[in-house]
Amino acid sequence: MKKLIGGILLLLLGFTTSGQILNFEIGQVMPKFDYKNSNGESLDGLKSNNRGNIGFGIRYPLLNTNWHASLLANYNRYEAEGSDPILGNYYKWDARFIGLNLGIDYEFFRPEVNRNEQHGFSLYLRGVVSSEFLIDGTQNLNNQISDLNGIEEFDKPFYYLRGAIGVNYYISKTFILYGQYMGGRSFLVGNYDNKEQLRFTIHSISIGLAINLMYFN
């Protein structure tokens, strides 16, 4: 897993050139666990807890237009717990993931450069496809704690489709503050008939700083 994390970071750094925009962000993620057993039955009373996330990525202007492509690595923590008052069961999951996100966005109302300065607000919409990999986590079933690594539902990549809306504030040509809401849902790849299934519905709110390397010196 350390090799995976290192490979993602090297991939991002390898694409960093003077024509790109670096993004750093932190925020809070609000997950919903959608678990079904082999009979298609869901867990009732499952409550998710909000946890933090961080991200680092690169954004690429496309042909001097308002379109951008992006590559982002992030760290997310998903946690949920619940109980069955009839059977007296208690369950809790605490999972940490690292993800790789490929996106495309369009920026509206980008302020013009005036006298070598750039100030003002813009709006963007973004679509993202991503994959996340478990790096650490625990499962608590009736106070019996076990490692999530090796558990079938978690021991595979999770694939997502996400959409985002965000606001940029141009402090200058070089530095941009932004705030973003993103929502999405994971989807299963392969045949899961008569098997346990786990999906995530994710909402996140983040703030960040973008640095335009074209003007950075």
Side-chain angles (χ1 to χ4, degrees), residues 92-103:
K92 179 178 180 179
W93 292 274
D94 185 358
R96 299 167 179 83
F97 292 89
I98 189 167
L100 187 63
N101 306 265
L102 299 175

Side-chain angles (χ1 to χ4, degrees), residues 21 63 70 111 113 117 121 135 191 197 208:
I21 302 170
L63 302 175
S70 59
V113 177
E117 290 293 334
F121 290 91
I135 56 174
N191 184 4
Q197 301 177 13

Side-chain angles (χ1 to χ4, degrees), residues 135-149:
I135 56 174
D136 187 25
T138 57
Q139 173 179 270
N140 185 337
L141 296 178
N142 298 324
N143 295 319
Q144 294 185 357
I145 299 175
S146 56
D147 194 335
L148 286 179
N149 288 290

Side-chain angles (χ1 to χ4, degrees), residues 163-217:
I165 182 170
V167 176
N168 294 317
Y169 174 66
Y170 283 76
I171 303 173
S172 67
K173 292 191 305 180
T174 306
F175 298 102
I176 307 163
L177 291 176
Y178 65 91
Q180 175 181 274
Y181 161 78
M182 179 176 286
R185 180 171 170 81
S186 66
F187 58 92
L188 300 175
V189 176
N191 184 4
Y192 280 79
D193 293 340
N194 301 318
K195 295 182 180 180
E196 295 184 17
Q197 301 177 13
L198 178 62
R199 295 181 177 91
F200 293 103
T201 300
I202 304 296
H203 302 276
S204 64
I205 298 174
S206 57
I207 58 173
L209 175 67
I211 303 173
N212 192 332
L213 298 180
M214 182 181 298
Y215 304 110
F216 187 79
N217 53 47

Side-chain angles (χ1 to χ4, degrees), residues 1-203:
M1 189 56 63
K2 290 182 179 179
K3 291 182 180 179
L4 172 64
I5 297 172
I8 291 175
L9 292 176
L10 287 174
L11 178 64
L12 289 173
L13 293 173
F15 279 108
T16 303
T17 68
S18 60
Q20 319 312 331
I21 302 170
L22 293 182
N23 289 61
F24 305 88
E25 62 185 51
I26 61 172
Q28 190 170 66
V29 63
M30 296 148 275
K32 178 183 177 183
F33 284 58
D34 182 6
Y35 170 81
K36 293 182 180 179
N37 62 23
S38 57
N39 295 321
E41 299 170 335
S42 301
L43 287 177
D44 295 326
L46 193 60
K47 178 184 177 182
S48 298
N49 299 320
N50 299 344
R51 294 300 181 194
N53 72 318
I54 58 175
F56 165 70
I58 304 166
R59 195 162 162 248
Y60 306 84
L62 298 178
L63 302 175
N64 294 318
T65 69
N66 285 3
W67 288 97
H68 300 81
S70 59
L71 177 63
L72 176 77
N74 59 4
Y75 167 86
N76 292 316
R77 182 181 177 186
Y78 305 151
E79 184 177 286
E81 59 185 321
S83 61
D84 186 335
I86 297 177
L87 299 177
N89 292 328
Y90 171 78
Y91 30 84
K92 179 178 180 179
W93 292 274
D94 185 358
R96 299 167 179 83
F97 292 89
I98 189 167
L100 187 63
N101 306 265
L102 299 175
I104 187 167
D105 68 77
Y106 187 84
E107 186 177 8
F108 301 87
F109 318 119
R110 184 169 62 191
E112 299 290 337
V113 177
N114 184 21
R115 296 181 181 178
N116 208 33
E117 290 293 334
Q118 191 173 19
H119 303 287
F121 290 91
S122 70
L123 175 74
Y124 65 85
L125 297 176
R126 177 174 294 150
V128 178
V129 293
S130 61
S131 181
E132 293 188 353
F133 305 85
L134 180 73
I135 56 174
D136 187 25
T138 57
Q139 173 179 270
N140 185 337
L141 296 178
N142 298 324
N143 295 319
Q144 294 185 357
I145 299 175
S146 56
D147 194 335
L148 286 179
N149 288 290
I151 294 180
E152 183 179 0
E153 293 77 35
F154 290 89
D155 196 25
K156 64 183 185 307
F158 287 86
Y159 301 99
Y160 290 84
L161 291 176
R162 290 181 164 111
I165 182 170
V167 176
N168 294 317
Y169 174 66
Y170 283 76
I171 303 173
S172 67
K173 292 191 305 180
T174 306
F175 298 102
I176 307 163
L177 291 176
Y178 65 91
Q180 175 181 274
Y181 161 78
M182 179 176 286
R185 180 171 170 81
S186 66
F187 58 92
L188 300 175
V189 176
N191 184 4
Y192 280 79
D193 293 340
N194 301 318
K195 295 182 180 180
E196 295 184 17
Q197 301 177 13
L198 178 62
R199 295 181 177 91
F200 293 103
T201 300
I202 304 296
H203 302 276

